[in-house]
Amino acid sequence: MADTSVHLQQQQPSRSRDLDKLLLRPGNLVGPRFEPGTELRDDLQAFAKVLVVGAGGLGCELLKDLALTGFCNLEVIDMDRIEVTNLNRQFLFRLEDVGKPKAEVAAKRVMERISGVDIVPHFCRIEDKDIEFYNDFSIIALGLDSIEARSYINNVACSFLEYDSDDNPREETIKPMVDGGTEGFKGHARVIMPGITPCFECTIWLFPPQVKFPLCTLAETPRTAAHCIEYAHLIKWDEVHRGVPFDPDNPNNMKWVYDEAVKRAELFGIPGVTYSFTQGVVKNIIPAIASTNAIISAACALETLKIATECSKTLSNYLTYNGSEGLHTKVTEFERDRDCLVCGPGIRIELDPSITLQKFMDLLEEHPKLQLSKASVTHRGKNLYMQAPPVLEEMTRSNLTLSLFNLMGKLPKDIVHVNGMTSKNDQKTSCLRKLHVVFKGVDGVADMDTAGGA
Amino acid sequence: MAEPKVKYDRQLRIWGDQGQAALEKSNICLLNCGPTGSETLKNLVLGGIGSITVVDGSKVEVGDLGNNFLVDESSLGQSKAKCVCSFLQELNDAVKAKYVEEYPDALIETNPSFFSQFTLVIATQLVESSMVKLDLICRNANVILIFARSYGLTGFVRISLKEHTVIESKPEHFLDDLRLNNPWPELKRFAEGFDLNVQDPVVHKHIPYVVILVKVADEWAKSHGGGLPSTREEKREFKELLKAGMVAQDEDNYKEAIESSFKVFAPRGISSELQQMLNDSSTEVDSSSSDFWVLVAALKDFVTNEGGGETPLEGSIPDMTSSTEQYVNLQNIYQAKAEADILAIERVTKNTLKKIGRDPNSIPRATIKSFCKNARKLKVCRYRLIADEFNSPNLPELQKYLTDEDYSIAMGIYILLRAVDRFAANYNSFPGQFDNAMDEDISRLKSTAVGLLNDLGCNSATLAEDLINEMCRFGAAELHAVAALVGGIASQEAIKLITRQFVPISGTYIFNGIDHKSQLLLL
Ligand SMILES: [Zn+2]
């Protein structure tokens, strides 16, 4: 039976009229730690803090959905400014907002309409924030369209994860993520509990790299409109504008590529080069519609609520959506990769306590699993060495000749985060790695290791 | 580019100018503008729908502020339809937005002719009795109808109209139409112009794989009594034959030929789905037939006569390793055949139109062309009347769903979503709507659901207790996230129906927000 105090409060008109049914009443298909009651609802409002990464098609929806799902403390980060082509789905923006930062306008619009919700916008790149910035949130919701950005946030969230001596994840260090993505009528929503469910990197094969046209095809045997466009974009541009980089956002640049592509298509008798298609190929435009974004974001918001309150079972752990031919949804329970470099227990590195920071960085480059160059090194939020910006580089340069052991506060073992470049598919990509540094021969270390049976 | 073109760029890449024009011409009615209805319309208004009419008789209450983004504090006490309408107008001033402050249930009773002015009606949060009535009204007026309902962590979307036909179904994975299993004379002749034993390695590695396959298949046929490879062993031999033709390891054209060799083995003729369509009684056309069925009748004629068992050729070829010149030549061979097939279909179509007393030129050439290009992908969707589904559901399917591991929860939700309406009709509130009667409501809902199952002829079926409990816990709550999801699906289906592109949902889509194991039920 529901107790009378709850009943009386229900009689009062309340904003959370509908949500209360879910949060105040006991349920049968709920998480193990679900404790229904007004306290749960109030705690959700007071303490749960969610970061929305991206204020585009998914981000706008996510902010609205979370604000109407009992979350009162939200922050949003996005480096982009509003464009006209956003307006068919990013419903928080109007024509007069074009050119303004997405994060700021989105936060303002949602706060205007929903009282009691606080949204802090961050108009910057995700890499511009300290790693500790991300540790401040209960849950991170991702509304992104790039694999690189997803991978970065995933790396950051997984870097907080700690394992106990039995290699079980420490619960208080798990930073849950909810990730959505769309393309036309298709999309996915997933829940990532680092250390428990697969992280983005564990299932990176779900996002195969794009196939590029071979340059010889573009140069010698063009057959399609796309070949003509990529010839103009990738070969002809450089030939004509030596040293001037092509800017896809400059309409004159785009027009030039289009005109050249038309000429080439005519020369070879190839149909199909249009201005719109040229833009699509050059900018790799992903078609996007309001409905799919709404559906995927709503699924993500619902899962965010479930993670925060355990008011229902959670999605376990990957939902694929396809609405083009009828409607197909499928839930797949992917498995964690136990050896994952990002969410696994980390790469263990044994070091001599006398090693300097510079020597340590050299080791990272040679390490077969890491091959990490241009490293910036952080320990417990403190910058030991930073490659950039120049001010920080200068400030931390003197650490290079100091002993790492001393720099890490003479701890026998601890986690160090390194941020640097690694090569993948012949391409340099930035990455963040978590290392378990263990100093050889320092008090207690050897004993602990044998005890742990490592 | 003009402003609207830029604004709609990302969606024009999906449904094109024609799809957009259809959206801009359409006239939509929304019944009930709670979050489910509001979110549905929001998506359509952003996409540039022509005009909308919001029907809702309620005033904005405090509780609405917690689940509907389209109302705010300043709306309290005002007409919900008016407030939602004014926010929607703010989203896109190109849309004509109207509202009617009236309860949909009452409107359905008192003014059924109201609905005939619309292209499509989106009915949200209606109870069963109103659904059945509205369905009959819209069916008779030939108005497309979409039902959407959010209920706690569950919901459904159901389309209702007599028939929806699609030319541009745009399937994602569809075998290209190369006819390698049945090449026509011009393609054979074109292939004959190539020498697979050419000495120049650069020329050899640029022979299009289509040519390689036609030639090798021809060679095979000569030594196998005119047949093509059909057994596993023969297919393997055929691939070996291809491999033997390679002169260097890096010949991409030969690799493509081996990968595509299954196109030679594929059975000739049309798919069983298309055959079924050609056998449909609608192909016996008269003056009341739609353009679609007139064209299908022409297609039927073509397949039996000129086509020799095949549809008109699609006419496009995929990219493949080749010199530019030979690729363009090959493209021309395919296009010429496609053009000839279009002419044949056009001829039959004109005759048919004349026969049924219509203007022979009343179907535009562009439509005929698109029809021919998509002949293999045509779709016909038909929907049962809601009343028929409710009173006499497809019993074998229903029983299968109830016991199937993947479907039983969704089926349980379907039954319970109907049971809550019966409950409401009997007890004047939804189960669990008020806190003080939870236990009583749970047992009442259970007996209502059992009664419903009995009425449907499933006497022995049982529903999971947990699910019944959860349904009572939901107490008819309309949660924003669930509403946004269900409304998102409803708007997606509206777009597919209006643009006549892609394929709409065929049965009842049951949303399961508990673990997202949602299902489509065909009852
Ligand atoms: Zn991982």
Side-chain angles (χ1 to χ4, degrees), chain A residues 1-2 6-7 10-11 13-23 25-30 34 61 64-65 67-69 83-95 109-110 112-115 183-186 213 217 220-224 227 268-271 275-277 279-281 283 285-292 294-296 298-299 301-303 306 311-316 319 321-331, chain B residues 1 3 6-11 13-15 39 42-44 46-47 61-73 75 80 83 87 90-91 152-153 169-173 206 319-324 327-328 331 335 379 431-439 465-467 469-470 472-482 484-485 487-489 491-493 495-496 501-506 509 511 513-520:
Chain A
M1 279 296 284
V6 170
H7 178 55
Q10 281 257 302
Q11 307 297 67
S14 160
R15 272 177 175 274
S16 56
R17 176 188 67 196
D18 295 78
L19 207 52
D20 279 356
K21 302 266 183 359
L22 213 58
L23 298 182
R25 295 174 166 184
N28 287 31
L29 301 170
V30 295
F34 177 53
E61 287 282 337
K64 171 206 68 167
D65 291 347
L68 289 173
T69 303
E83 293 177 33
V84 178
T85 55
N86 302 147
L87 301 179
N88 80 322
R89 60 199 187 283
Q90 299 176 17
F91 70 101
L92 296 172
F93 310 142
R94 311 279 172 268
L95 194 56
R109 286 277 145 74
V110 175
E112 274 167 9
R113 292 196 71 82
I114 308 174
S115 62
E183 179 178 350
F185 284 106
K186 288 189 289 184
F213 301 122
T217 297
E220 288 156 28
T221 56
R223 297 174 298 267
T224 66
H227 292 158
F268 285 96
I270 297 167
Y275 187 73
S276 167
F277 187 58
Q279 282 184 305
V281 170
K283 295 172 103 170
I285 292 175
I286 298 164
I289 50 178
S291 54
T292 316
I295 293 160
I296 293 301
L302 204 52
E303 292 313 304
K306 292 177 186 175
C311 68
S312 183
K313 289 204 242 175
T314 43
L315 163 67
S316 180
L319 172 73
Y321 179 91
N322 192 341
S324 62
E325 233 184 314
L327 208 184
H328 297 277
T329 52
K330 186 169 185 272
V331 175
Chain B
M1 268 196 280
E3 198 73 69
V6 182
K7 177 162 132 184
Y8 297 134
D9 179 82
R10 297 303 184 265
Q11 67 195 44
R13 290 173 192 276
I14 298 179
W15 52 69
E39 289 294 318
K42 182 204 79 193
N43 299 333
L44 293 173
L46 285 167
E61 296 170 18
V62 175
D64 300 327
L65 305 183
N67 73 9
N68 194 342
F69 192 75
L70 274 56
V71 295
D72 65 7
E73 250 147 39
S75 326
K80 202 189 281 178
C83 298
F87 183 84
E90 204 187 298
L91 283 182
L153 289 174
S169 65
K170 301 189 172 179
E172 261 175 274
H173 305 289
H206 282 100
D319 186 28
M320 64 191 79
T321 299
S322 163
S323 69
T324 303
Y327 182 80
V328 170
Q331 219 169 21
Q335 253 161 22
K379 288 276 174 191
Q433 195 170 354
F434 303 104
D435 289 314
N436 49 6
M438 280 299 270
D439 289 346
E465 296 277 340
D466 285 345
L467 202 57
N469 272 282
E470 286 295 287
C472 274
R473 175 185 175 216
F474 298 155
E478 201 175 348
L479 302 164
H480 180 79
V482 173
L485 207 153
I489 295 173
S491 59
Q492 165 190 287
E493 295 309 306
I495 285 166
K496 291 194 280 188
Q501 295 179 24
F502 304 95
V503 187
I505 295 175
S506 46
Y509 184 77
F511 171 65
I514 299 164
D515 57 12
H516 289 278
K517 290 178 182 162
S518 306
Q519 292 291 0
L520 188 70

Side-chain angles (χ1 to χ4, degrees), chain A residues 199 202 340 343:
Chain A
C199 82
C202 290
C340 178
C343 71

Side-chain angles (χ1 to χ4, degrees), chain B residues 364-378:
Chain B
R365 186 152 209 278
T367 307
I368 298 175
K369 202 171 166 180
S370 165
F371 180 85
C372 290
K373 264 187 100 57
N374 291 289
R376 297 177 308 144
K377 305 165 186 172
L378 303 173

Side-chain angles (χ1 to χ4, degrees), chain A residues 154 158 195 197-203 336-337 339-344:
Chain A
N154 180 69
C158 291
T197 64
C199 82
F200 183 69
E201 207 64 39
C202 290
T203 53
R336 248 182 85 210
D337 173 4
D339 294 326
C340 178
L341 275 179
V342 178
C343 71

